[in-house]
Amino acid sequence: MEKSWLGSYEAGVPHELDLPALPTLVELFDAAVAEYAVQPAFLNLGHALSYSELERQSAAFGACLQQRFGLTKGERIAIMLPNVLQYPVVLFGVLRAGMVVVNVNPLYTVRELHHQLKDSGATAIVVLANFAQTVERAIAGTEVRHVIVTELADLLPWPKRALVNLVVRRVKKLVPPYVLPDALSLRALLREGAGLTFRPASVTRDDVAFLQYTGGTTGVAKGAVLTHGNMGANLMQATAWLGQRVKPGRERIVTALPLYHIFALTANCLTFLRLGALNMLITNPRDLPAFIKEIATARFTVITGVNTLYNALLNHPDFAKVDCSALWLSLGGGMAVQRTVAERWQRATGCMLLEAYGLTETSPAVTINPLDLREFNGSIGLPLPSTEISIRDVDGNEVPSGQRGELYVRGPQVMQGYWRRPDETAAVLSADGWLRTGDVATVDDAGFVRIVDRMKDMIDVSGFNVYPNEIEEVVAMHPAVREVAAIGVPDGHSGEVVKLFVVCREPGLTTEELLRHCRENLTKYKVPKHVEFREELPKTNVGKILRRALRDEASG
């Protein structure tokens, strides 16, 4: 495909990166520590870790992995932590020791955790005490030999550490009882590791950095194999895109999405760490009053999130009190950003909500909108430097500009494949490096990409393709709608019809009124046939609405 998008790049953004010169994540970490040693790197629960403290503590953890446990380069270490200070300490300890990070969602069930531990072959796991009961029940039959437990406030100073941990355990009773007699305390290990000699591993761009699991909502979760080269390339692609607008050493980024998710991992934790930023870790963004109170006077400069997060903030009365005067970058990804949310966000904060697009399999960023965009354009932006895209039909043939087809991606950020799953790798990744995304997209003459929908979510109404994103976009325009999901349900006459699940912003909205709004904005076969009002919609750990869960309910 002709790279028409290069003509739409902002001035100064390179078309290609010097790929042979790209550093590893360890080299990027070392450079950040050397440049920003005394500055705060991560802030959580009112306490900050400086870059130099992060270096010392991650070295102590790495030394324990090497000497206390006898683990070697390439071993897989599972991290089952929310956004707390312990996460970056463990993360960089693992990476600097040449081992592989296996990020785990702390909300996993026993079944889900057991699968991921067994599939990855992880030999150690670090877990927050709140979720240790799940580990207890899941590790039988896996290769896990070392369990390391930490409590929420373990890296806070005394006496706040003791007080917070006491409240969490005894007052709020958020730590279910567990029996792990051989488990070790992370806090104790860090003290022990401080007296050991850390031996940084020799790491190359070809070494695996992450087994990042994906696909759990569409089948058995698979580990995307992401190397230091994949992740480092995506980090440098994002840095090149930010260009001269970013102020190294002066940015404050709100990190409400979990760091174990690829979006926040690369964008917040890695990219902005290299830029000397302060990551403000939000442990529980679902507690909106506490979240808003934490950022209200922080004068943050950057925020990342999914559409539902921005929507929730906008709909909370306290958000009007938040000081957004320093905010210059709001980045949306993980799911489609709706026009109504983007326009409300811009009015409320004075900052554009830029939509980006990526996949776990692409480390994750593929496209992003230009930073000089002045109004929401409904696109996911332009391919990043050194990234190729192609829009193809069902036979793999490229379609003309403006036509719909499956989005294919090729670039240095594309994964090596799925861990120990050659057949599934071959189904999505060609020998010459093209990744099938499973997303239906179009590209216009200026190179802007628009996602129509996921191929698997498409609804077939009497032979016509109906895309849930379009339906949801229209329904979200109604002022009484807070959230919406559209799915296809069986119909004896037309094969499938559209069903809506709606959460209202205010009471009183009727099915008749909502369908009248749809008829005014959609052609007849796209108009929903069923509407169900709900108090809330099922979501993933990062807040993405789970259409599959709704389909399963409807078919059950």
Side-chain angles (χ1 to χ4, degrees):
M1 173 173 278
E2 182 182 351
K3 297 183 178 180
S4 56
W5 54 84
L6 297 178
S8 299
Y9 272 22
E10 274 194 282
V13 176
H15 294 179
E16 301 288 336
L17 300 181
D18 183 3
L19 297 179
L22 290 178
T24 66
L25 295 179
V26 174
E27 290 169 330
L28 289 163
F29 176 81
D30 290 343
V33 168
E35 191 169 354
Y36 305 108
V38 299
Q39 294 185 207
F42 290 90
L43 173 70
N44 182 240
L45 299 176
H47 181 66
L49 278 183
S50 70
Y51 280 78
S52 60
E53 289 170 330
L54 179 59
E55 191 280 330
R56 287 195 299 272
Q57 298 215 40
S58 62
F61 184 70
C64 281
L65 292 176
Q66 294 170 330
Q67 298 182 49
R68 180 70 151 79
F69 301 143
L71 303 181
T72 57
K73 180 180 175 180
E75 296 208 47
R76 277 79 64 200
I77 313 298
I79 306 178
M80 193 172 179
L81 298 173
N83 286 4
V84 291
L85 295 176
Q86 295 92 312
Y87 182 89
V89 168
V90 172
L91 172 77
F92 290 110
V94 173
L95 293 175
R96 297 174 71 198
M99 298 174 197
V100 180
V101 173
V102 180
N103 277 310
V104 178
N105 179 354
L107 300 181
Y108 267 173
T109 64
V110 172
R111 180 192 62 81
E112 291 167 325
L113 177 59
H114 177 82
H115 164 73
Q116 189 163 325
L117 293 176
K118 189 173 180 63
D119 187 76
S120 66
T123 52
I125 184 170
V126 183
V127 62
L128 193 71
N130 306 48
F131 312 107
Q133 186 183 85
T134 307
V135 173
E136 175 199 343
R137 297 174 177 177
I139 58 174
T142 73
E143 295 179 42
V144 173
R145 303 192 303 273
H146 311 286
V147 177
I148 303 160
V149 179
T150 185
E151 296 196 54
L152 185 70
D154 272 0
L155 293 193
L156 271 56
W158 177 271
K160 187 175 182 178
R161 176 178 70 250
L163 179 61
V164 172
N165 284 342
L166 179 67
V167 169
V168 168
R169 186 180 283 274
R170 302 295 185 188
V171 179
K172 295 188 176 181
K173 301 186 184 302
L174 295 177
V175 181
Y178 61 89
V179 179
L180 290 166
D182 296 325
L184 297 171
S185 158
L186 176 62
R187 183 170 173 78
L189 285 176
L190 292 178
R191 288 197 301 269
E192 179 181 339
L196 301 175
T197 301
F198 174 60
R199 299 182 179 88
S202 176
V203 174
T204 71
R205 290 192 296 274
D206 294 330
D207 285 319
V208 179
F210 294 89
L211 292 187
Q212 194 73 16
Y213 277 73
T214 182
T217 61
T218 57
V220 176
K222 307 174 289 290
V225 178
L226 302 175
T227 64
H228 282 261
N230 293 143
M231 298 293 287
N234 208 223
L235 188 160
M236 298 309 293
Q237 288 169 319
T239 302
W241 198 261
L242 295 173
Q244 301 302 310
R245 294 173 184 267
V246 70
K247 297 181 175 64
R250 296 171 60 185
E251 304 293 350
R252 296 172 66 92
I253 182 167
V254 175
T255 302
L257 295 181
L259 290 174
Y260 57 78
H261 188 273
I262 191 68
F263 184 1
L265 173 65
T266 300
N268 298 49
C269 185
L270 298 176
T271 300
F272 275 89
L273 179 109
R274 178 60 192 96
L275 294 168
L278 170 62
N279 263 275
M280 301 173 58
L281 301 183
I282 309 301
T283 305
N284 181 17
R286 293 174 187 256
D287 184 353
L288 280 175
F291 175 16
I292 291 172
K293 183 178 180 180
E294 196 161 348
I295 66 173
T297 59
R299 288 188 56 78
F300 57 96
T301 61
V302 179
I303 185 171
T304 62
V306 293
N307 187 80
T308 48
L309 176 69
Y310 290 113
N311 194 31
L313 290 172
L314 289 166
N315 284 311
H316 197 283
D318 291 347
F319 186 68
K321 305 170 187 175
V322 174
D323 181 2
C324 296
S325 60
L327 181 63
W328 66 273
L329 177 60
S330 303
L331 193 61
M335 64 182 296
V337 173
Q338 293 174 338
R339 178 177 295 275
T340 51
V341 173
E343 291 176 347
R344 287 182 64 203
W345 182 264
Q346 187 169 6
R347 289 195 298 271
T349 67
C351 180
M352 269 291 303
L353 176 49
L354 294 178
E355 187 168 4
Y357 167 83
L359 303 162
T360 301
E361 292 88 343
T362 55
S363 305
V366 174
T367 65
I368 185 173
N369 270 286
L371 271 63
D372 60 356
L373 200 68
R374 291 291 172 260
E375 60 182 19
F376 184 75
N377 64 6
S379 86
I380 57 171
L382 310 167
L384 289 166
S386 294
T387 301
E388 298 175 81
I389 63 167
S390 177
I391 308 297
R392 304 186 184 183
D393 62 22
V394 293
D395 297 318
N397 301 311
E398 200 162 77
V399 302
S401 176
Q403 289 193 16
R404 294 173 173 177
E406 183 177 358
L407 175 63
Y408 283 59
V409 177
R410 183 165 67 178
Q413 70 271 49
V414 173
M415 68 171 182
Q416 306 304 298
Y418 293 122
W419 178 251
R420 296 175 175 171
R421 294 179 185 273
D423 291 345
E424 296 208 41
T425 298
V428 299
L429 191 60
S430 68
D432 57 351
W434 284 102
L435 176 76
R436 297 185 60 175
T437 68
D439 286 315
V440 182
T442 64
V443 180
D444 65 22
D445 291 338
F448 283 88
V449 185
R450 285 169 173 79
I451 295 294
V452 179
D453 225 310
R454 292 290 294 170
M455 293 180 70
K456 65 178 183 295
D457 288 339
M458 190 168 60
I459 305 166
D460 184 351
V461 179
S462 299
F464 292 98
N465 292 336
V466 177
Y467 298 95
N469 276 355
E470 180 186 9
I471 309 301
E472 291 166 2
E473 180 79 28
V474 166
V475 174
M477 291 165 51
H478 194 289
V481 172
R482 182 188 296 271
E483 291 181 343
V484 58
I487 66 168
V489 295
D491 180 78
H493 175 68
S494 58
E496 284 187 306
V497 292
V498 178
K499 178 174 182 177
L500 293 180
F501 296 85
V502 177
V503 177
C504 294
R505 180 175 288 117
E506 53 192 50
L509 179 62
T510 64
T511 297
E512 292 73 20
E513 181 182 348
L514 194 57
L515 292 180
R516 183 168 57 251
H517 168 79
C518 290
R519 285 191 290 269
E520 291 172 355
N521 292 278
L522 294 167
T523 192
K524 186 176 181 180
Y525 68 87
K526 297 179 183 178
V527 174
K529 297 297 183 184
H530 309 285
V531 178
E532 183 176 328
F533 294 100
R534 293 205 171 182
E535 293 296 319
E536 59 182 4
L537 299 178
K539 297 183 178 72
T540 67
N541 54 298
V542 296
K544 183 177 180 179
I545 294 171
L546 278 170
R547 289 179 186 151
R548 184 172 187 262
L550 294 170
R551 285 198 299 269
D552 289 346
E553 285 184 37
S555 63

